[in-house]
Amino acid sequence: MKRISQATFVYKRLWPILNVAVFSIVVWQLKSPPVSPQNNGIWVLGAVFLASGLAQLRLISGLVDEVEDLGDRLRLRRGSIEETVALADVEAVRVNYWLRPNRAILALRRPGKFGSRVAFLPRSNGPLGDFGENAVVADLARRIERDAT
């Protein structure tokens, strides 16, 4: 049993709270007098943090918290909900390298508790992140392809 996903605590819990806190501070500062033309830039800062928080919630809401590799199966967990998926039931795995941290997406042949697509944050290749192909996802894709043939 090997964990192949990163911890999502920072992305799902800490960062949204930080976004809301900064947005609240900006709004509180705007409400306090005196309002002057120099304070107009703070509205832009507030809007940026609000947009950032909403985008983050949209991107992280579907992530599973943990993925464990059990050899011929994967154990998926989000909160208290767990599901075990056979590698034969995984149609494909791909990585979205445009987002940071990288996001792996499993396409399942049959929808399960988490739907037909399951997204998670794969472990990175090293402490500085992924430069090139993610080793965990490449290994998983190779095994899925091998099992499909």
Side-chain angles (χ1 to χ4, degrees), residues 97-140:
Y97 289 106
W98 293 99
L99 298 173
R100 290 289 182 218
N102 295 337
R103 193 158 314 203
I105 301 166
L106 303 172
L108 304 178
R109 296 185 199 286
R110 285 175 271 142
K113 294 178 183 177
F114 303 115
S116 61
R117 300 208 183 280
V118 178
F120 68 96
L121 303 177
R123 285 206 176 277
S124 62
N125 292 339
L128 298 176
D130 293 333
F131 295 104
E133 188 176 51
N134 184 289
V136 169
V137 175
D139 177 56
L140 193 59

Tab-separated table of all heavy atoms in Angstrom, residues 97-140:
chain	number	residue	atom	x	y	z
A	97	TYR	N	-0.988	19.798	-16.407
A	97	TYR	CA	0.256	20.469	-16.010
A	97	TYR	C	0.110	21.984	-15.945
A	97	TYR	O	0.988	22.666	-15.468
A	97	TYR	CB	1.392	20.110	-16.972
A	97	TYR	CG	1.855	18.683	-16.828
A	97	TYR	CD1	1.547	17.721	-17.773
A	97	TYR	CD2	2.601	18.295	-15.722
A	97	TYR	CE1	1.976	16.416	-17.633
A	97	TYR	CE2	3.034	16.994	-15.577
A	97	TYR	CZ	2.723	16.057	-16.528
A	97	TYR	OH	3.133	14.771	-16.379
A	98	TRP	N	-1.006	22.527	-16.440
A	98	TRP	CA	-1.193	23.972	-16.447
A	98	TRP	C	-1.550	24.510	-15.080
A	98	TRP	O	-1.386	25.692	-14.812
A	98	TRP	CB	-2.267	24.362	-17.457
A	98	TRP	CG	-1.828	24.102	-18.852
A	98	TRP	CD1	-2.156	23.021	-19.615
A	98	TRP	CD2	-0.936	24.881	-19.632
A	98	TRP	NE1	-1.530	23.094	-20.828
A	98	TRP	CE2	-0.785	24.239	-20.869
A	98	TRP	CE3	-0.257	26.071	-19.418
A	98	TRP	CZ2	0.023	24.740	-21.879
A	98	TRP	CZ3	0.542	26.569	-20.424
A	98	TRP	CH2	0.675	25.911	-21.631
A	99	LEU	N	-2.085	23.668	-14.221
A	99	LEU	CA	-2.452	24.094	-12.874
A	99	LEU	C	-1.335	23.732	-11.904
A	99	LEU	O	-0.666	22.723	-12.066
A	99	LEU	CB	-3.748	23.406	-12.439
A	99	LEU	CG	-4.980	23.721	-13.276
A	99	LEU	CD1	-6.132	22.835	-12.843
A	99	LEU	CD2	-5.358	25.178	-13.143
A	100	ARG	N	-1.159	24.540	-10.903
A	100	ARG	CA	-0.196	24.251	-9.843
A	100	ARG	C	-0.936	24.165	-8.539
A	100	ARG	O	-1.671	25.081	-8.205
A	100	ARG	CB	0.884	25.335	-9.755
A	100	ARG	CG	1.810	25.323	-10.916
A	100	ARG	CD	2.715	24.122	-10.873
A	100	ARG	NE	3.642	24.154	-12.000
A	100	ARG	CZ	4.001	23.075	-12.649
A	100	ARG	NH1	3.531	21.908	-12.329
A	100	ARG	NH2	4.839	23.159	-13.642
A	101	PRO	N	-0.798	23.127	-7.791
A	101	PRO	CA	-0.048	21.920	-8.092
A	101	PRO	C	-0.735	21.123	-9.196
A	101	PRO	O	-1.926	21.288	-9.452
A	101	PRO	CB	-0.057	21.147	-6.781
A	101	PRO	CG	-1.270	21.598	-6.077
A	101	PRO	CD	-1.484	23.018	-6.482
A	102	ASN	N	0.045	20.241	-9.845
A	102	ASN	CA	-0.494	19.431	-10.935
A	102	ASN	C	-1.670	18.596	-10.444
A	102	ASN	O	-1.708	18.183	-9.297
A	102	ASN	CB	0.585	18.501	-11.482
A	102	ASN	CG	1.710	19.255	-12.125
A	102	ASN	OD1	1.542	20.391	-12.538
A	102	ASN	ND2	2.865	18.639	-12.203
A	103	ARG	N	-2.589	18.368	-11.328
A	103	ARG	CA	-3.805	17.622	-10.995
A	103	ARG	C	-3.900	16.401	-11.884
A	103	ARG	O	-3.833	16.525	-13.106
A	103	ARG	CB	-4.989	18.545	-11.250
A	103	ARG	CG	-6.255	18.099	-10.700
A	103	ARG	CD	-7.096	19.294	-10.560
A	103	ARG	NE	-6.241	20.307	-9.952
A	103	ARG	CZ	-6.641	21.333	-9.274
A	103	ARG	NH1	-7.881	21.550	-9.140
A	103	ARG	NH2	-5.814	22.184	-8.729
A	104	ALA	N	-4.039	15.221	-11.293
A	104	ALA	CA	-4.234	13.989	-12.053
A	104	ALA	C	-5.724	13.681	-12.092
A	104	ALA	O	-6.433	13.873	-11.102
A	104	ALA	CB	-3.482	12.838	-11.411
A	105	ILE	N	-6.192	13.213	-13.243
A	105	ILE	CA	-7.611	12.903	-13.411
A	105	ILE	C	-7.737	11.469	-13.909
A	105	ILE	O	-7.158	11.112	-14.937
A	105	ILE	CB	-8.280	13.880	-14.396
A	105	ILE	CG1	-8.127	15.300	-13.867
A	105	ILE	CG2	-9.737	13.519	-14.608
A	105	ILE	CD1	-8.421	16.374	-14.864
A	106	LEU	N	-8.477	10.673	-13.156
A	106	LEU	CA	-8.758	9.296	-13.536
A	106	LEU	C	-10.114	9.255	-14.226
A	106	LEU	O	-11.110	9.720	-13.667
A	106	LEU	CB	-8.802	8.385	-12.302
A	106	LEU	CG	-7.575	8.338	-11.410
A	106	LEU	CD1	-7.872	7.539	-10.159
A	106	LEU	CD2	-6.401	7.746	-12.155
A	107	ALA	N	-10.168	8.685	-15.419
A	107	ALA	CA	-11.441	8.473	-16.119
A	107	ALA	C	-11.847	7.029	-15.856
A	107	ALA	O	-11.115	6.102	-16.218
A	107	ALA	CB	-11.279	8.735	-17.606
A	108	LEU	N	-12.993	6.850	-15.214
A	108	LEU	CA	-13.444	5.512	-14.829
A	108	LEU	C	-14.426	4.960	-15.869
A	108	LEU	O	-15.212	5.710	-16.448
A	108	LEU	CB	-14.117	5.560	-13.462
A	108	LEU	CG	-13.274	6.139	-12.323
A	108	LEU	CD1	-14.079	6.166	-11.038
A	108	LEU	CD2	-11.992	5.353	-12.141
A	109	ARG	N	-14.388	3.661	-16.079
A	109	ARG	CA	-15.313	3.017	-17.019
A	109	ARG	C	-16.747	3.055	-16.483
A	109	ARG	O	-17.685	3.214	-17.253
A	109	ARG	CB	-14.898	1.573	-17.267
A	109	ARG	CG	-13.553	1.444	-17.933
A	109	ARG	CD	-13.224	0.005	-18.278
A	109	ARG	NE	-11.812	-0.200	-18.495
A	109	ARG	CZ	-11.139	0.198	-19.562
A	109	ARG	NH1	-11.751	0.844	-20.511
A	109	ARG	NH2	-9.853	-0.036	-19.680
A	110	ARG	N	-16.892	2.884	-15.169
A	110	ARG	CA	-18.212	2.946	-14.529
A	110	ARG	C	-18.160	3.981	-13.423
A	110	ARG	O	-17.238	3.969	-12.610
A	110	ARG	CB	-18.565	1.585	-13.917
A	110	ARG	CG	-18.956	0.561	-14.956
A	110	ARG	CD	-19.175	-0.788	-14.330
A	110	ARG	NE	-17.869	-1.447	-14.340
A	110	ARG	CZ	-17.403	-2.214	-13.373
A	110	ARG	NH1	-18.117	-2.428	-12.311
A	110	ARG	NH2	-16.221	-2.768	-13.459
A	111	PRO	N	-19.139	4.881	-13.382
A	111	PRO	CA	-19.138	5.893	-12.316
A	111	PRO	C	-19.239	5.243	-10.939
A	111	PRO	O	-19.947	4.251	-10.761
A	111	PRO	CB	-20.383	6.737	-12.602
A	111	PRO	CG	-20.768	6.424	-13.999
A	111	PRO	CD	-20.262	5.056	-14.305
A	112	GLY	N	-18.509	5.815	-9.999
A	112	GLY	CA	-18.549	5.330	-8.631
A	112	GLY	C	-19.100	6.394	-7.707
A	112	GLY	O	-19.852	7.281	-8.127
A	113	LYS	N	-18.711	6.344	-6.457
A	113	LYS	CA	-19.184	7.308	-5.466
A	113	LYS	C	-18.748	8.730	-5.788
A	113	LYS	O	-19.406	9.690	-5.409
A	113	LYS	CB	-18.682	6.934	-4.075
A	113	LYS	CG	-19.243	5.643	-3.551
A	113	LYS	CD	-18.648	5.320	-2.198
A	113	LYS	CE	-19.151	3.982	-1.702
A	113	LYS	NZ	-18.527	3.621	-0.418
A	114	PHE	N	-17.616	8.868	-6.473
A	114	PHE	CA	-17.077	10.193	-6.786
A	114	PHE	C	-17.343	10.606	-8.235
A	114	PHE	O	-16.811	11.611	-8.695
A	114	PHE	CB	-15.578	10.239	-6.500
A	114	PHE	CG	-15.228	9.883	-5.086
A	114	PHE	CD1	-14.488	8.754	-4.806
A	114	PHE	CD2	-15.669	10.661	-4.035
A	114	PHE	CE1	-14.166	8.423	-3.504
A	114	PHE	CE2	-15.368	10.334	-2.730
A	114	PHE	CZ	-14.607	9.207	-2.466
A	115	GLY	N	-18.127	9.820	-8.967
A	115	GLY	CA	-18.449	10.148	-10.343
A	115	GLY	C	-17.601	9.358	-11.332
A	115	GLY	O	-16.900	8.414	-10.970
A	116	SER	N	-17.655	9.769	-12.604
A	116	SER	CA	-16.919	9.052	-13.644
A	116	SER	C	-15.504	9.600	-13.830
A	116	SER	O	-14.683	8.985	-14.487
A	116	SER	CB	-17.678	9.117	-14.967
A	116	SER	OG	-17.820	10.463	-15.363
A	117	ARG	N	-15.234	10.753	-13.263
A	117	ARG	CA	-13.893	11.349	-13.286
A	117	ARG	C	-13.495	11.693	-11.865
A	117	ARG	O	-14.245	12.341	-11.150
A	117	ARG	CB	-13.864	12.597	-14.151
A	117	ARG	CG	-14.239	12.327	-15.581
A	117	ARG	CD	-13.578	13.319	-16.509
A	117	ARG	NE	-13.977	13.125	-17.890
A	117	ARG	CZ	-13.464	12.205	-18.686
A	117	ARG	NH1	-12.543	11.405	-18.237
A	117	ARG	NH2	-13.868	12.086	-19.926
A	118	VAL	N	-12.296	11.260	-11.493
A	118	VAL	CA	-11.798	11.481	-10.137
A	118	VAL	C	-10.490	12.254	-10.244
A	118	VAL	O	-9.557	11.820	-10.927
A	118	VAL	CB	-11.561	10.146	-9.394
A	118	VAL	CG1	-11.004	10.392	-8.018
A	118	VAL	CG2	-12.840	9.335	-9.336
A	119	ALA	N	-10.436	13.403	-9.581
A	119	ALA	CA	-9.234	14.241	-9.626
A	119	ALA	C	-8.517	14.191	-8.277
A	119	ALA	O	-9.163	14.145	-7.230
A	119	ALA	CB	-9.600	15.682	-9.962
A	120	PHE	N	-7.189	14.182	-8.325
A	120	PHE	CA	-6.379	14.227	-7.112
A	120	PHE	C	-5.060	14.916	-7.405
A	120	PHE	O	-4.713	15.148	-8.565
A	120	PHE	CB	-6.164	12.818	-6.534
A	120	PHE	CG	-5.291	11.909	-7.370
A	120	PHE	CD1	-3.939	11.777	-7.088
A	120	PHE	CD2	-5.829	11.179	-8.409
A	120	PHE	CE1	-3.137	10.941	-7.837
A	120	PHE	CE2	-5.040	10.336	-9.169
A	120	PHE	CZ	-3.690	10.211	-8.892
A	121	LEU	N	-4.357	15.280	-6.351
A	121	LEU	CA	-3.041	15.904	-6.482
A	121	LEU	C	-1.983	14.819	-6.345
A	121	LEU	O	-1.776	14.293	-5.248
A	121	LEU	CB	-2.832	16.963	-5.392
A	121	LEU	CG	-3.853	18.086	-5.328
A	121	LEU	CD1	-3.543	19.007	-4.156
A	121	LEU	CD2	-3.901	18.850	-6.626
A	122	PRO	N	-1.306	14.432	-7.446
A	122	PRO	CA	-0.308	13.372	-7.341
A	122	PRO	C	0.943	13.856	-6.618
A	122	PRO	O	1.256	15.044	-6.624
A	122	PRO	CB	0.007	13.042	-8.803
A	122	PRO	CG	-0.281	14.294	-9.540
A	122	PRO	CD	-1.415	14.961	-8.798
A	123	ARG	N	1.628	12.931	-5.975
A	123	ARG	CA	2.906	13.266	-5.336
A	123	ARG	C	3.858	13.788	-6.395
A	123	ARG	O	3.912	13.299	-7.506
A	123	ARG	CB	3.517	12.037	-4.679
A	123	ARG	CG	2.855	11.652	-3.415
A	123	ARG	CD	3.873	10.899	-2.549
A	123	ARG	NE	3.311	10.584	-1.278
A	123	ARG	CZ	3.261	11.415	-0.244
A	123	ARG	NH1	3.758	12.610	-0.361
A	123	ARG	NH2	2.738	11.054	0.892
A	124	SER	N	4.631	14.796	-6.018
A	124	SER	CA	5.567	15.376	-6.988
A	124	SER	C	6.845	14.546	-7.044
A	124	SER	O	7.127	13.739	-6.163
A	124	SER	CB	5.877	16.823	-6.622
A	124	SER	OG	6.493	16.883	-5.371
A	125	ASN	N	7.627	14.770	-8.094
A	125	ASN	CA	8.869	14.023	-8.289
A	125	ASN	C	9.944	14.395	-7.278
A	125	ASN	O	10.818	13.598	-6.982
A	125	ASN	CB	9.410	14.258	-9.697
A	125	ASN	CG	8.524	13.638	-10.747
A	125	ASN	OD1	7.747	12.733	-10.473
A	125	ASN	ND2	8.629	14.127	-11.963
A	126	GLY	N	9.893	15.601	-6.752
A	126	GLY	CA	10.923	16.037	-5.827
A	126	GLY	C	10.460	17.248	-5.048
A	126	GLY	O	9.343	17.725	-5.211
A	127	PRO	N	11.341	17.776	-4.199
A	127	PRO	CA	10.949	18.905	-3.354
A	127	PRO	C	10.689	20.194	-4.134
A	127	PRO	O	10.009	21.084	-3.653
A	127	PRO	CB	12.130	19.066	-2.399
A	127	PRO	CG	13.278	18.413	-3.083
A	127	PRO	CD	12.698	17.333	-3.940
A	128	LEU	N	11.212	20.302	-5.348
A	128	LEU	CA	11.014	21.503	-6.150
A	128	LEU	C	9.860	21.363	-7.132
A	128	LEU	O	9.660	22.214	-7.991
A	128	LEU	CB	12.298	21.856	-6.906
A	128	LEU	CG	13.503	22.183	-6.022
A	128	LEU	CD1	14.733	22.425	-6.870
A	128	LEU	CD2	13.211	23.369	-5.137
A	129	GLY	N	9.105	20.280	-7.019
A	129	GLY	CA	7.961	20.080	-7.906
A	129	GLY	C	8.322	19.236	-9.101
A	129	GLY	O	9.372	18.597	-9.160
A	130	ASP	N	7.426	19.228	-10.065
A	130	ASP	CA	7.608	18.409	-11.260
A	130	ASP	C	8.176	19.236	-12.399
A	130	ASP	O	7.624	20.256	-12.778
A	130	ASP	CB	6.264	17.820	-11.704
A	130	ASP	CG	5.717	16.817	-10.721
A	130	ASP	OD1	6.516	16.202	-10.009
A	130	ASP	OD2	4.487	16.659	-10.661
A	131	PHE	N	9.270	18.745	-12.926
A	131	PHE	CA	9.818	19.309	-14.141
A	131	PHE	C	9.770	18.189	-15.162
A	131	PHE	O	10.558	17.266	-15.122
A	131	PHE	CB	11.255	19.816	-13.937
A	131	PHE	CG	11.317	20.965	-12.984
A	131	PHE	CD1	11.766	20.786	-11.690
A	131	PHE	CD2	10.906	22.220	-13.384
A	131	PHE	CE1	11.819	21.854	-10.806
A	131	PHE	CE2	10.950	23.292	-12.507
A	131	PHE	CZ	11.407	23.106	-11.212
A	132	GLY	N	8.783	18.246	-16.019
A	132	GLY	CA	8.572	17.157	-16.961
A	132	GLY	C	7.467	16.247	-16.470
A	132	GLY	O	6.581	16.646	-15.725
A	133	GLU	N	7.543	15.021	-16.870
A	133	GLU	CA	6.498	14.045	-16.590
A	133	GLU	C	6.467	13.663	-15.105
A	133	GLU	O	7.504	13.474	-14.483
A	133	GLU	CB	6.755	12.804	-17.448
A	133	GLU	CG	5.677	11.784	-17.407
A	133	GLU	CD	5.956	10.641	-18.362
A	133	GLU	OE1	7.071	10.094	-18.314
A	133	GLU	OE2	5.070	10.317	-19.150
A	134	ASN	N	5.276	13.542	-14.555
A	134	ASN	CA	5.105	13.109	-13.172
A	134	ASN	C	5.313	11.603	-13.107
A	134	ASN	O	4.619	10.844	-13.794
A	134	ASN	CB	3.710	13.491	-12.671
A	134	ASN	CG	3.514	13.150	-11.227
A	134	ASN	OD1	3.416	11.992	-10.867
A	134	ASN	ND2	3.445	14.165	-10.392
A	135	ALA	N	6.258	11.149	-12.290
A	135	ALA	CA	6.622	9.737	-12.226
A	135	ALA	C	5.475	8.866	-11.719
A	135	ALA	O	5.265	7.757	-12.214
A	135	ALA	CB	7.857	9.567	-11.338
A	136	VAL	N	4.733	9.339	-10.738
A	136	VAL	CA	3.621	8.567	-10.173
A	136	VAL	C	2.554	8.330	-11.229
A	136	VAL	O	2.071	7.208	-11.415
A	136	VAL	CB	3.025	9.299	-8.945
A	136	VAL	CG1	1.736	8.668	-8.505
A	136	VAL	CG2	4.024	9.324	-7.809
A	137	VAL	N	2.175	9.381	-11.940
A	137	VAL	CA	1.124	9.265	-12.951
A	137	VAL	C	1.613	8.448	-14.139
A	137	VAL	O	0.853	7.662	-14.712
A	137	VAL	CB	0.636	10.662	-13.386
A	137	VAL	CG1	-0.366	10.563	-14.510
A	137	VAL	CG2	0.027	11.382	-12.201
A	138	ALA	N	2.869	8.607	-14.533
A	138	ALA	CA	3.419	7.832	-15.649
A	138	ALA	C	3.393	6.350	-15.327
A	138	ALA	O	3.018	5.523	-16.174
A	138	ALA	CB	4.838	8.298	-15.955
A	139	ASP	N	3.766	5.981	-14.102
A	139	ASP	CA	3.729	4.578	-13.687
A	139	ASP	C	2.301	4.058	-13.678
A	139	ASP	O	2.022	2.955	-14.148
A	139	ASP	CB	4.360	4.434	-12.297
A	139	ASP	CG	4.275	3.010	-11.786
A	139	ASP	OD1	4.758	2.095	-12.497
A	139	ASP	OD2	3.707	2.809	-10.690
A	140	LEU	N	1.385	4.848	-13.158
A	140	LEU	CA	-0.024	4.447	-13.113
A	140	LEU	C	-0.580	4.281	-14.530
A	140	LEU	O	-1.269	3.292	-14.818
A	140	LEU	CB	-0.819	5.493	-12.339
A	140	LEU	CG	-2.224	5.139	-11.914
A	140	LEU	CD1	-2.245	3.908	-11.035
A	140	LEU	CD2	-2.840	6.312	-11.154
